[in-house]
Amino acid sequence: VPLRFLPLAVGVVRKQLVTVATMSSELQWQIVRNTNCFLLKRNGTTFTSEPYNLTGRSSFKNCGMVNKRVVAVDAAPANKGVVLRVAKARAVNRPAKRFNNIVMRKNNRRIIRSIRKNTTRQNYRTDLTEAAVRRACAIVRSQNAKAPSSTGSKRRHKKN
């Protein structure tokens, strides 16, 4: 597609937007799957430390770099709840507007219900729903962990 110039005023020219051909997600995955900085190869299994990968497995389904629709679950600031990050499929080329951040500070059941609702609405990513719920439950469980008691256990001996 050739560039077209549209005159705005005398001596001022504006370039019209030109669409750029993009690669499919499958082709991107074939390029990235064996060579990226997030790969962790342990005992014959390939894991990943990508920010938008819920399970930690290196696979096309879970890859946050090549899929347009991704879901992430992280701890909220100051360990008070969970943040659900859902990507907008239409804002792939706009990093500042790409993600909706939803902070959830309610109890565990409401968090699970909200995550299920947000990932299954309009068939967003129903395949990642259970992984997102598991990650959120693990984060909430770690935030509610009780402090360990004193280091030594004290036994009471019976007096004879």
Side-chain angles (χ1 to χ4, degrees), residues 36-50:
N36 67 58
C37 64
F38 299 109
L39 286 180
L40 304 167
K41 295 184 179 181
R42 302 280 188 265
N43 298 329
T45 307
T46 305
F47 297 104
T48 183
S49 61
E50 294 172 30

Side-chain angles (χ1 to χ4, degrees), residues 83-155:
V83 177
L84 176 69
R85 292 192 173 104
V86 181
K88 301 175 194 171
R90 294 184 181 180
V92 175
N93 295 329
R94 292 176 284 171
K97 296 181 179 182
R98 183 159 187 222
F99 296 101
N100 283 336
N101 295 334
I102 304 164
V103 179
M104 295 176 260
R105 292 189 175 97
K106 298 290 182 181
N107 60 10
N108 204 6
R109 290 181 187 211
R110 285 192 180 190
I111 289 173
I112 291 170
R113 187 172 65 193
S114 178
I115 288 173
R116 282 201 173 119
K117 186 173 70 173
N118 283 310
T119 55
T120 58
R121 68 161 196 262
Q122 299 172 356
N123 292 327
Y124 185 75
R125 283 295 297 266
T126 55
D127 57 335
L128 296 180
T129 301
E130 290 306 315
V133 167
R134 285 185 189 142
R135 164 94 34 124
C137 288
I139 290 172
V140 170
R141 197 178 317 123
S142 70
Q143 291 172 351
N144 295 335
K146 294 181 181 178
S149 61
S150 61
T151 56
S153 62
K154 297 178 183 178
R155 291 186 179 177

